[in-house]
Amino acid sequence: MNLPPLLVRLTLLAVAFLLGELHAFAESAIKKAGPSVVRVLCVYHYPNTGQRELRSTGSGFVIGDDGLIGTNDHVASMRIYKDARLQRSVEQGTIALEFYVGRLTSGGVAEIYPAKVEWQDRGRDLALLRAPDLKAPALKMNIGEVIEADVVYAIGYPGAADTKEDYRAVQAWLAAGRPARTISPPDGLRNFLKYTVNESTIRRPKTDKWSNIYDYPEGPVIQMLENDCNFSPGNSGGPLINIAGEIIGVNSAGSQNLRISSSIVELHRAMGDRWPHKFTTWRPSNVPWYLILGIIGAAVLGITGAVLALSRRQQPEMGRTTLLRILGPTGRRQLGHEGGTHLASPPPPPPPREGTIIDPRAARTALVHPNEKTVLQGRGKTAHQYATFQLSPKEHDGVLLELDAQRFARQNGRLIVGRSTELAHVCLDDRNISNRHAAVRVKGSQLYIEDLESSNGTRVNGKRLEPYTDTPISVGDTISLGSLHFKLRSADS
């Protein structure tokens, strides 16, 4: 299927524009969501000694303008229910659980605030924290349909990205008395609050119990999202967002080959009317108008290209193995076509080599009057006053161009070689040949060639010609038209 070069270029430009716009749109959505993603610091406080110790970290996301934060239950509970001794110590007050949330603002300023557990659902592995001093924009929840292959991004704070220096900085901050509100902490803490982003796709939405998958307490059947995001411990509780920067899931657990997120629908149901929150159901949502126009434009170009290609396929082609030649002093024309019927009365010429040599004017005459005999007269000169030349292909399977006396006589000594059947006298069906590529002219006894400002140039013995400049050529010279190479020779020899 051959498409017009201009249409191909426009289609490629439209595709490049869409890919660039999609990438830019996703990057913008991530930057917008980033300041609303927080790191959850889970700390043991020993009241008897006053010491504090960082025990674990997780991720969370702001869903309320008053510092309401969504996360996992196993982050908010620190899973103390799995350790009876630890649970007893918490109940007796010898160990207190403390939570802090930190983030980098859109301006790159680090902030850390204390937080408290507001709500937990162990069976769904969901929880809400509240940090009243945190002033961060709330992310919108998208509770619309999620399908396979949707592009998603997991944002969070994997512990694997932390260094020993980061942990030392956190521990030093805790030992110094961990101010209730910390703005612009040391660089070590700032590095500790840089989130990571993993891009992937949805494998499939499904319903299941967490207790059927991992060692979780018994709970209800909930909606889950299987995906390929490479999140690890520390990412738990972080948001899974779509290309518009809306939350569609809460990253919960993962194995070597599979990651599972709770659908945001579950948190939306649990919240009900108890907490103010923003949500949408439209899918896809918040796609900018210029992206929609770009998609429509690309679709129109694709449909137009398909229609043009089909229409060209339905038209009778002159063929890639068609040869039209004007033979002999009598001027009899004959047209041969591989696999077709020979229209002229003389015996058909031998099968042509790969390529096309067409004189469009002669082709029309031959098709309408296959048995016509014509003596071609030039303007003031007859065919006997011109010599016949050949451009012999240097490649084994190339095309033989015959510049015979009759053609020169009919065109007053000047033949145009090109790809267009309307603008050239001798046609070459090759994409590297321009519609009007070069002109061959006879002046007296000398043969000249002139480049007609072709795209891929004309060369004589390897030297590229200046456009619209006659260059003398002689038998034995190598003539290059684009990527096709010929040897000039006399037909008499």
Side-chain angles (χ1 to χ4, degrees), residues 180-195:
R181 180 184 182 194
T182 301
I183 305 295
S184 299
D187 286 342
L189 278 179
R190 191 176 186 279
N191 294 332
F192 191 69
L193 298 178
K194 290 181 178 178
Y195 60 79

Side-chain angles (χ1 to χ4, degrees), residues 27-277:
E27 185 177 358
S28 174
I30 293 170
K31 287 183 178 179
K32 184 178 179 181
S36 299
V37 180
V38 298
R39 188 160 200 176
V40 181
L41 284 67
C42 308
V43 177
Y44 285 179
H45 177 213
Y46 302 93
N48 294 336
T49 63
Q51 293 182 342
R52 286 177 171 82
E53 179 185 5
L54 179 65
R55 296 301 297 174
S56 62
T57 67
S59 303
F61 49 92
V62 179
I63 53 175
D65 295 330
D66 53 351
L68 195 63
I69 298 166
T71 187
N72 286 141
D73 171 74
H74 72 261
V75 172
S77 66
M78 301 191 201
R79 292 190 177 180
I80 61 172
Y81 54 83
K82 288 190 174 185
D83 189 328
R85 183 178 177 182
L86 177 60
Q87 192 169 4
R88 192 163 51 250
S89 297
V90 171
E91 292 171 353
Q92 294 173 354
T94 57
I95 296 178
L97 305 183
E98 293 182 350
F99 297 92
Y100 300 87
V101 294
R103 65 159 188 152
L104 290 178
T105 67
S106 56
V109 178
E111 298 178 342
I112 302 178
Y113 301 99
K116 292 184 178 181
V117 177
E118 187 95 355
W119 169 83
Q120 291 174 274
D121 188 326
R122 193 153 295 168
R124 289 184 171 86
D125 193 28
L126 295 173
L128 291 173
L129 304 177
R130 188 181 295 279
D133 296 328
L134 176 63
K135 305 302 179 184
L139 293 178
K140 184 178 290 186
M141 294 186 288
N142 190 318
I143 60 174
E145 181 187 10
V146 178
I147 64 174
E148 294 85 352
D150 273 355
V151 177
V152 292
Y153 303 90
I155 308 180
Y157 302 86
D162 297 327
T163 65
K164 293 181 179 179
E165 288 73 15
D166 295 336
Y167 281 108
R168 289 195 190 104
V170 175
Q171 202 59 47
W173 172 76
L174 291 172
R178 91 288 158 242
R181 180 184 182 194
T182 301
I183 305 295
S184 299
D187 286 342
L189 278 179
R190 191 176 186 279
N191 294 332
F192 191 69
L193 298 178
K194 290 181 178 178
Y195 60 79
T196 65
V197 180
N198 289 290
E199 178 184 356
S200 184
T201 55
I202 295 295
R203 283 191 178 184
R204 61 167 179 163
K206 71 172 187 176
T207 56
D208 205 341
K209 295 181 179 181
W210 278 118
S211 54
N212 293 339
I213 303 174
Y214 295 106
D215 184 18
Y216 277 58
E218 184 67 25
V221 174
I222 66 171
Q223 294 187 37
M224 301 178 178
L225 302 174
E226 289 186 3
N227 58 81
D228 296 314
C229 285
N230 187 26
F231 56 75
S232 57
N235 278 107
S236 295
L240 188 71
I241 68 173
N242 60 16
I243 196 173
E246 301 160 339
I247 313 170
I248 62 170
V250 184
N251 302 322
S252 300
S255 61
Q256 185 175 2
N257 299 316
L258 181 64
R259 306 292 187 271
I260 301 178
S261 304
S262 299
S263 172
I264 199 63
V265 171
E266 297 299 327
L267 184 59
H268 177 262
R269 287 173 179 168
M271 291 175 68
D273 297 327
R274 288 178 288 178
W275 294 282
H277 54 281

